[in-house]
Amino acid sequence: MKHTVAFIAAGVLSLGLGVSSGSNVAQASQSISLATGGTGGVYFPLGGAMAEAWSQQIPDLRVTAESTGASVVNVRIVEQGEAELAMVQNDIANYAFHATEMFADDSPKESNLGMALLYPEVIQIVTLADSGIESVNDLAGARVAVGAPGSGTEANARQILMAHDIAYADITEHFLPFGEAVDAIRDGRIDAAFLTAGIPTAAVVDLGATHDVSIVPVDPDMAEEVSEEWPFYAGFTIPGGTYSGIEDDIPTVTVLAMLVANADLDADLVEQMLEVLFAEETLERLCDTHARGCDISLEDAAEAMPVPLHPGAEAFFERQ
Ligand code: GLU
C-alpha cells in the first residue's frame, strides 16, 4: 500500500512539473550547494538565509549553505562542480576568472559567472587597544592572523602589507578563520588579525565583549595607493560606534561581496533564484539576519560586475 501511494505521489509530481515547463522537470528534487565562509563571518549567516528563502520558495529545490574557508577556495569549489553557487569577493572573482594574482599559476576559473553584487566587505585589522599597534607599519615583527587558508582575507592581508613594504617574512603569519583568530588574540597567542567582512563582524563583536579592541587604520594616502595597484579596493570609513568602545571613525579600504553561479547551472533556475532574492520579503529577511543584508538591492546588483554575467542573471537583469 505504501508503495502505491509513493508511486502515485511521484507520478503526480512529475506530471505537474512536466506540464508547466520542460526545464522544471530537470529541477525537480534538485539539491544544490552554496559555498559561504567561516561561522564567525557574514557569508555564512546571510548565505544561510538566502538558501532558506530559495528552498522555501522554489518548488523541489533544496539549497544548502556550506561553511568553507571563503573566497579563494569557493571559486575552486565551484570550478570543480562541488558547489553550484558561492559567495566571493569581487576582487577574487576577477583574479580567478582571468588567472591573475594568486591564480597566476592556475588555469582561468571561467565557470564562475556573476549572479549579483551584494554588499561592501571591509578590510579590518583588529588588535587589542593596549597592543601598541597603531598603524599598519607597526605590524612588522608582529604575530598576525592573515585569514583562513584560501580566503579572500588572506589575499587582502598580503596586498595591504605589501603596499606598506611588509612581506610575510617580516611578520609571523597565522592562517586562521575569523573565530580562531579572535580566540588567539584573546589568549595572547597573536597580536593582530586581518578580517575582510561585512561590518559589524560577529568575531570582532565577540572579542569586544571581553576586551578593549581597536582597529588599525589604513591611511587614506595608502588606501589610494592600494586601489591604484588593485582597482577593486575603494576607500572606506568604519563609522565610530560600529563596535562598542570604538568611538572614532576609522579609515580603511573595502571590496564587495557577490554571488557567483557555475556556468552549467540551469539559466532558468538562476533567473528564478534572482527573482526570489530580490523579492521584498527576502530582502527583509536578509536585512533582519545581518545589517549588511540591508545593503542588498536590485539597483546595485549588476553594476561593475567583475566577471561576465551568468546567462540566467543576464536574462533577469534585462527584464528589470
Ligand atoms: N570575504 C571573506 C573571505 O573571502 C569572508 C567573509 C565572510 O565570511 O563573511 O575571506
Side-chain angles (χ1 to χ4, degrees):
M1 186 61 193
K2 263 190 183 157
H3 280 126
T4 317
V5 172
F7 177 73
I8 290 169
V12 168
L13 187 72
S14 61
L15 180 68
L17 290 170
V19 168
S20 63
S21 113
S23 68
N24 275 344
V25 172
Q27 285 168 31
S29 309
Q30 193 175 0
S31 210
I32 64 176
S33 294
L34 167 64
T36 64
T39 52
V42 180
Y43 287 3
F44 187 67
L46 275 182
M50 282 185 223
E52 208 173 272
W54 286 324
S55 301
Q56 282 170 358
Q57 289 177 51
I58 301 179
D60 298 307
L61 178 72
R62 188 183 160 76
V63 185
T64 313
E66 313 278 0
S67 171
T68 72
S71 293
V72 177
V73 282
N74 285 358
V75 292
R76 295 190 198 280
I77 289 172
V78 169
E79 185 76 15
Q80 287 158 7
E82 285 162 25
E84 290 75 7
L85 304 167
M87 294 176 77
V88 297
Q89 295 175 198
N90 62 340
D91 52 344
I92 305 300
N94 183 270
Y95 302 149
F97 192 86
H98 297 289
T100 58
E101 294 290 325
M102 69 291 293
F103 298 94
D105 296 332
D106 226 328
S107 54
K109 306 277 169 274
E110 289 173 346
S111 56
N112 281 263
L113 297 181
M115 232 176 120
L117 290 162
L118 300 173
Y119 61 87
E121 290 195 87
V122 181
I123 285 79
Q124 303 165 82
I125 308 169
V126 179
T127 188
L128 295 182
D130 60 4
S131 70
I133 298 173
E134 284 167 12
S135 69
V136 177
N137 289 326
D138 292 339
L139 293 173
R143 300 162 300 171
V144 184
V146 292
S151 60
T153 299
E154 197 272 320
N156 300 141
R158 207 152 11 87
Q159 290 170 342
I160 307 273
L161 290 170
M162 199 190 293
H164 291 78
D165 291 322
I166 301 172
Y168 277 0
D170 304 316
I171 61 166
T172 306
E173 74 277 22
H174 292 257
F175 297 92
L176 298 172
F178 303 158
E180 289 178 35
V182 297
D183 284 347
I185 291 184
R186 193 180 277 121
D187 300 346
R189 285 180 279 123
I190 61 165
D191 305 302
F194 278 82
L195 289 85
T196 302
I199 55 169
T201 311
V204 185
V205 175
D206 285 354
L207 183 61
T210 53
H211 290 72
D212 285 340
V213 170
S214 81
I215 296 181
V216 179
V218 176
D219 190 84
D221 286 349
M222 286 310 291
E224 215 176 296
E225 220 170 278
V226 165
S227 47
E228 268 165 29
E229 177 79 27
W230 297 284
F232 290 98
Y233 289 112
F236 186 86
T237 302
I238 302 172
T242 299
Y243 296 108
S244 75
I246 304 182
E247 297 313 323
D248 291 341
D249 288 353
I250 307 202
T252 182
V253 285
T254 180
V255 291
L256 292 174
M258 66 180 291
L259 267 174
V260 293
N262 186 292
D264 290 340
L265 191 59
D266 182 72
D268 288 347
L269 178 59
V270 169
E271 198 174 341
Q272 227 177 328
M273 291 177 101
L274 285 170
E275 204 67 71
V276 170
L277 177 64
F278 291 106
E280 203 172 315
E281 189 193 328
T282 314
L283 293 178
E284 271 169 27
R285 178 199 289 234
L286 296 174
C287 188
D288 287 344
T289 303
H290 190 279
R292 298 286 66 78
C294 316
D295 293 345
I296 302 173
S297 80
L298 190 54
E299 292 71 50
D300 301 326
E303 245 180 57
M305 261 292 161
V307 292
L309 276 177
H310 190 284
E314 208 169 280
F316 173 78
F317 290 113
E318 250 165 37
R319 276 196 292 109
Q320 306 308 310

